[in-house]
């Protein structure tokens, strides 16, 4: 048996997704997620213009060999476009292998290490009242962990805060359909540093110590600012502080570590294990935040997480809505199987998306399970997908109050 056809499906049920479809000579279909938010068509072209013809005729069972063939064989290595393309092929081949075995993927990864996967939701609000409404709503749904983002007085719409008023939000979406260029937001780190610790103090007062609280700094602080923030929020027992500094500067976290015991998470913009080498071997982080979709797929993520495990570092796989339900399923199978699982991000997709991607994962009182369908457990409905045309969307650009471009 061999790979007979490889096609790229681009669809936009509320937001853009790029999906790889691999079909074997005996008709088994494998699906892979290749979505790279705001740069979707680059990955689609990488796959259809360069990779598809290389795969036709190959043995679909040789997953490791195919991974190395695409990674080492291309000469040009790493980078989000390349690694998202390789991830899509890798996911599709694992989907096929597990379907052939008649097993859910997690069984091929060693079987379940736990009964379910603890997830965290995105609770946000422009002010404290809206934020507490959101947290209360998620608690009522059974969530045991929430990421907290809120407005900062004096600043307008900022990262991670739903503009849509109070309540439980499933519709927060950072990529905006803003025409031919990105929307722009404003930022002031000093106002943020002065505001945020008080928010966590009030949340602990209102909700007690049980709830796991997470926060995303979204690469906006300098090393010394991040050290101050991590120290200031220490009394409020954060589960993690994510992306406190621009992630490409691995040495920055040495400074943060010297000043605080707040656990650190980083890596959603990383795409290989090499981005983590210093962070893991020097134990500068506590959680690995890569997405399966952006880090070369299941094969590469398993190796990365096994490497992290040696240093006592746990997983916190990226799971926003720009990871398709296929990428999310890949994460859930890994989460269930590995020993060093930490937590899984869960931003539920909207109804339109779920009509195109038929999922079998289930949510129960704060925990997800990937389900027991053979393979990844997600099937793309191509007819439904064809009704949603690609629409250009950008992540916003961030500027300081004086107009200087800042990290987003
Ligand atoms: O595409 C970018 C988003 O996925 C990212 O901004 C979301 O920071 C994010 C998170 O932690 O989910
Ligand atoms: Mg993040």
């Amino acid at each position: 048996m061999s790979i007979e056809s490889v096609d790229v499906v681009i669809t936009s049920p509320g937001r853009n997704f790029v999906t790889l479809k691999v079909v074997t000579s005996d008709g088994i279909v494998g699906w892979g997620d290749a979505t790279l938010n705001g740069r979707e068509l680059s990955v689609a072209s990488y796959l259809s213009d360069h990779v598809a013809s290389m795969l036709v005729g190959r043995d679909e069972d040789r997953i490791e060999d195919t991974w190395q063939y695409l990674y080492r064989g291309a000469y040009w290595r790493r980078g989000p476009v390349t690694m998202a393309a390789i991830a899509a092929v890798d996911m599709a081949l694992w989907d096929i292998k597990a379907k052939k075995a008649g097993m859910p993927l997690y069984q091929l990864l060693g079987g379940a290490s736990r009964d379910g996967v603890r997830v965290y939701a995105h609770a946000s609000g422009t002010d404290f009242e809206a934020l507490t409404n959101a947290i209360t709503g998620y608690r009522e749904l059974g969530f045991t962990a929430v990421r907290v983002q809120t407005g900062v007085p004096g600043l307008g719409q900022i990262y991670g805060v739903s503009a849509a008023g109070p309540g439980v939000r499933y519709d927060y979406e950072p990529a905006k359909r803003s025409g031919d260029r990105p929307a722009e937001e404003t930022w002031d780190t000093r106002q943020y540093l002065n505001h945020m610790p008080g928010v966590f103090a009030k949340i602990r007062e209102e909700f007690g110590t049980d709830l796991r609280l997470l926060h995303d700094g979204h690469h906006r602080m300098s090393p010394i600012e991040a050290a101050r923030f991590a120290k200031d929020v220490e009394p409020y027992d954060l589960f993690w502080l994510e992306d406190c500094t621009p992630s490409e500067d691995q040495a920055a976290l040495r400074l943060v570590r010297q000043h605080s015991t707040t656990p650190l998470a980083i890596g959603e913009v990383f795409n290989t294990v090499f981005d983590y080498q210093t962070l893991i071997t020097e134990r500068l982080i506590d959680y690995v935040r890569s997405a399966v979709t952006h880090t070369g797929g299941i094969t590469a993520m398993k190796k990365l997480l096994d490497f992290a495990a040696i240093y006592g570092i746990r997983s916190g796989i990226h799971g926003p809505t720009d990871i398709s339900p296929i990428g999310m399923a890949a994460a859930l199978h890994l989460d269930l199987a590995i020993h060093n699982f930490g937590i899984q991000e869960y931003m539920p997709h909207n109804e339109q998306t779920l009509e195109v991607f038929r999922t079998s994962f289930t949510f129960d009182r704060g925990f997800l399970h990937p389900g027991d369908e053979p393979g990844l457990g997600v099937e793309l409905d191509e007819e439904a997908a064809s009704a949603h045309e690609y629409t250009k969307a950008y992540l916003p650009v961030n500027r300081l109050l004086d107009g200087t471009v800042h990290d987003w």
Side-chain angles (χ1 to χ4, degrees), residues 141-406:
L141 291 173
F143 282 89
T144 61
V146 289
R147 187 186 87 155
V148 169
Q149 307 293 136
T150 187
V152 174
L155 300 180
Q157 172 65 31
I158 59 170
Y159 164 75
V161 181
S162 170
V168 171
R169 292 277 154 251
Y170 284 156
D171 55 359
Y172 159 67
E173 174 52 68
K176 310 256 184 326
R177 291 173 170 175
S178 51
D180 277 334
R181 58 189 65 176
E184 301 203 354
E185 294 179 355
T186 47
W187 181 249
D188 185 88
T189 308
R190 203 167 154 266
Q191 291 180 38
Y192 163 79
L193 290 176
N194 288 333
H195 181 66
M196 254 347 262
V199 173
F200 285 111
K202 286 204 279 180
I203 292 173
R204 280 294 178 219
E205 245 170 59
E206 188 140 342
F207 294 96
T209 52
D210 239 22
L211 189 63
R212 288 161 178 79
L213 297 178
L214 298 81
H215 180 66
D216 193 344
H218 230 251
H219 325 273
R220 292 172 182 211
M221 289 172 268
S222 69
I224 200 69
E225 288 165 345
R228 171 184 154 189
F229 186 96
K231 195 163 128 184
D232 284 354
V233 297
E234 237 172 52
Y236 314 117
D237 181 29
L238 262 56
F239 184 89
W240 78 35
L241 169 60
E242 175 188 351
D243 286 348
C244 57
T245 50
S247 351
E248 59 268 42
D249 182 2
Q250 297 193 26
L253 294 192
R254 288 188 190 126
L255 191 81
V256 184
R257 275 292 208 229
Q258 280 161 21
H259 292 278
S260 168
T261 56
T262 294
L264 301 177
I266 210 159
E268 69 180 42
V269 299
F270 290 170
N271 42 74
T272 70
V273 66
F274 301 106
D275 301 317
Y276 285 97
Q277 218 162 353
T278 304
L279 298 176
I280 289 178
T281 55
E282 293 188 26
R283 300 176 203 269
L284 298 179
I285 55 170
D286 302 280
Y287 297 93
V288 163
R289 281 287 287 144
S290 274
V292 186
T293 303
H294 303 143
T295 314
I298 294 151
T299 299
M301 274 299 275
K302 179 75 168 66
K303 291 178 189 178
L304 166 58
L305 293 171
D306 287 345
F307 173 46
I310 297 169
Y311 294 86
I313 295 167
R314 295 190 285 157
S315 70
I317 300 182
H318 196 212
T321 42
D322 48 286
I323 299 301
S324 89
I326 296 166
M328 185 68 187
L332 293 177
H333 285 280
L334 273 164
D335 291 334
L336 200 68
I338 58 170
H339 179 252
N340 57 326
F341 170 72
I343 202 162
Q344 171 65 49
E345 181 179 18
Y346 180 38
M347 258 176 108
H349 291 99
N350 65 25
E351 273 172 33
Q352 267 183 313
T353 299
L354 295 175
E355 274 161 22
V356 171
F357 295 89
R358 304 291 161 99
T359 61
S360 46
F361 43 82
T362 50
F363 175 80
D364 184 28
R365 308 300 301 165
F367 290 80
L368 277 173
H369 191 283
D372 284 307
E373 290 296 315
L376 286 167
V378 181
E379 295 298 320
L380 184 124
D381 179 333
E382 287 180 88
E383 205 185 315
S386 67
H388 303 281
E389 209 177 309
Y390 172 79
T391 312
K392 200 189 270 188
Y394 286 102
L395 294 170
V397 165
N398 193 29
R399 290 186 188 273
L400 300 180
L401 294 173
D402 70 358
T404 309
V405 172
H406 195 58

